[in-house]
Amino acid sequence: MKNLKIALSLLILVSITSCDDFLSEKPDNRTEIDTPEKISELLVESYPQMSYFDIAETMSDNVFDSGMPQTLIKNEQSYNWEIQTETTDIDTQAFYWDACYKAIAHANKALEAIEDLGSPATLNPQKGEALMARAYSHYMLVSLWSKRYNPATAASDLGVPYVTKPETELVTKYKRNTVAEVFDFIQKDIEEGLKLVTNDYKQPKFHFNVNASKAFASRFYLVKGDWDRVIELSNDLGSKPEGKLRDFPSYDLLSAVDQRLAYADSNAETNLLIVSANSIVSRSYYSNRFYLSGARYPEIFGSGVSPYNKPWYYNFYSSNSSITVFMPKFYEYFKYSNVTAGIGDPYVAEVLLSNDEFFLNRIEAHVMKGEIALANDELDYFLSTRTVGYVASDKLTEAKIVAKYPVIPDEYTPFYTMTPVQTSYVKAIAEARRRDFVHEGMRWFDVKRFNIVVNHETTNKPTNILVKDDNRRALQIPLHASNTGVELNPR
């Protein structure tokens, strides 16, 4: 592999000081991270502080041309699987790339500080969190900017640089690791981190606590096809996680504003990892032309797509006469830096990991293990908590799943083989994931993983088709990174 240059934004930031202050000082004047308290403070910044939700969601088949006369350039570019040319706006590819590498820098600085202190056992929780955080950001980078994981090609597919040491320069030479190398590094960090993480936090939902770590690991191993590991990680959930999944029926009693607050509430049992992201994703429903349109959302959320043929407990609203519709998930907090001038930054609490995803991962692993009866019971339980008027006689059967989710040749093509029955169940699970995580970008990762064809229609233009193995499934390297020597993805 040839060496590459990467502009990793703020890679040498050390949390306690601002970037501007740090860069204006001599290296020997930088803040020393030499106490457990400082390390813990540093780790607060080891999570991406930007959002990928709008980027990934807009590329998926959840999004349609609503027909609104206006839209944002970045929204249209994502819809057409193009590189976003905006580099000074939040909720863009470039900003999320930088946010991930900034988070990695903080995790690496924390790990270095722990090593400098002699790696005492008392710092194992901080070490575990740093390893999990480093693995998570690299996982998100490789999932967005590389081809899907396929063990047959991973050793030659371009991944992303896996950074394991703090940086001392703004521009550093790296090699771009292969997908296989990145996945190996992620797995190493995950397995070591899982042994060390704890729940000993004042606000555990904002850290890689034990269950959040297991949920992330289950996502990783599901992509790798390690079904046994996914099941092992999720054993504490069991096959009927009562009280641990999102309580959608309770949202019927809340206003739309209160539903926004409830969705990312740290007291909600299902929410395992929450981040406060600098984002305007809460405004997308009226600013994005390419969104979940009122004319098309029944295709995903109508009672006709339910295996029970009953309505769902998902509430939708609109501010433009149903041109676009939204599920209230995001509450924006605007932090003013100058109240008089109306200047500040918007923040949204985003759920990065949840028991809902964790349980669906478990069900899918049971399907792929051939444990259809068990998977059927678990999927029935999950869907029953989302179905209005569910009764015991509605219970899923293999016949119902096969009828509702028929096998279409060459539709779902992961790197591994599936029987027809497995394919029907995997489709059912993917559709459940699609509904639960609408607006959150999760559907895009299933589109990549299963190599699903996506048709994006635009008024008065030919349909833009994302075919199987289309190079556009890997985001193009951000302009500011490629301008400093990072190899572009093929197009």
Side-chain angles (χ1 to χ4, degrees), residues 104-121:
I104 291 165
H106 284 88
N108 283 335
K109 187 62 183 178
L111 289 167
E112 180 188 62
I114 291 169
E115 185 175 346
D116 289 344
L117 291 174
S119 300

Side-chain angles (χ1 to χ4, degrees), residues 127-152:
K127 182 178 181 180
E129 181 181 5
L131 289 167
M132 295 302 300
R134 182 169 74 181
Y136 175 82
S137 286
H138 281 110
Y139 175 83
M140 294 308 300
L141 287 163
V142 76
S143 296
L144 288 165
W145 276 277
S146 298
K147 293 181 178 180
R148 65 172 178 156
Y149 177 78
N150 182 342

Side-chain angles (χ1 to χ4, degrees), residues 405-425:
Y405 304 99
V407 175
I408 298 173
D410 205 35
E411 181 187 20
Y412 275 54
T413 54
F415 70 79
Y416 43 85
T417 59
M418 298 190 293
T419 68
V421 170
Q422 285 175 324
T423 301
S424 290
Y425 272 95

Side-chain angles (χ1 to χ4, degrees), residues 202-357:
K202 292 181 179 179
Q203 295 179 309
K205 299 294 183 72
F206 292 86
H207 300 269
F208 262 112
N209 56 70
V210 173
N211 286 334
S213 299
K214 288 181 178 180
F216 167 52
S218 80
R219 180 192 293 183
F220 172 77
Y221 284 112
L222 192 74
V223 170
K224 283 200 72 176
D226 189 340
W227 322 122
D228 288 327
R229 190 71 175 111
V230 175
I231 293 168
E232 179 186 9
L233 288 161
S234 61
N235 275 338
D236 288 343
L237 275 180
S239 291
K240 195 175 183 180
E242 293 187 48
K244 295 182 180 180
L245 302 183
R246 190 169 300 283
D247 186 8
F248 277 108
S250 69
Y251 290 3
D252 280 346
L253 305 175
L254 304 177
S255 67
V257 171
D258 286 340
Q259 288 179 52
R260 293 178 189 269
L261 291 166
Y263 193 83
D265 188 348
S266 61
N267 292 316
E269 187 73 17
T270 187
N271 295 337
L272 301 179
L273 181 63
I274 304 167
V275 68
S276 181
N278 183 200
S279 173
I280 54 173
V281 67
S282 63
R283 310 179 194 180
S284 297
Y285 68 92
Y286 64 79
S287 64
N288 287 358
R289 169 176 172 175
F290 304 103
Y291 200 69
L292 183 61
S293 69
R296 301 289 295 272
Y297 91 96
E299 298 175 19
I300 305 172
F301 292 94
S303 58
V305 299
S306 163
Y308 312 118
N309 294 310
K310 290 185 174 182
W312 303 102
Y313 274 121
Y314 299 113
N315 295 325
F316 283 91
Y317 298 82
S318 179
S319 65
N320 52 24
S321 301
S322 293
I323 296 175
T324 56
V325 297
F326 67 95
M327 190 186 300
K329 292 184 171 184
F330 311 121
Y331 182 86
E332 181 180 305
Y333 166 70
F334 196 83
K335 184 178 181 180
Y336 285 96
S337 55
N338 187 318
V339 176
T340 302
I343 299 172
D345 291 296
Y347 291 88
V348 172
E350 294 185 347
V351 180
L352 299 185
L353 293 163
S354 68
N355 277 330
D356 305 290
E357 179 198 354

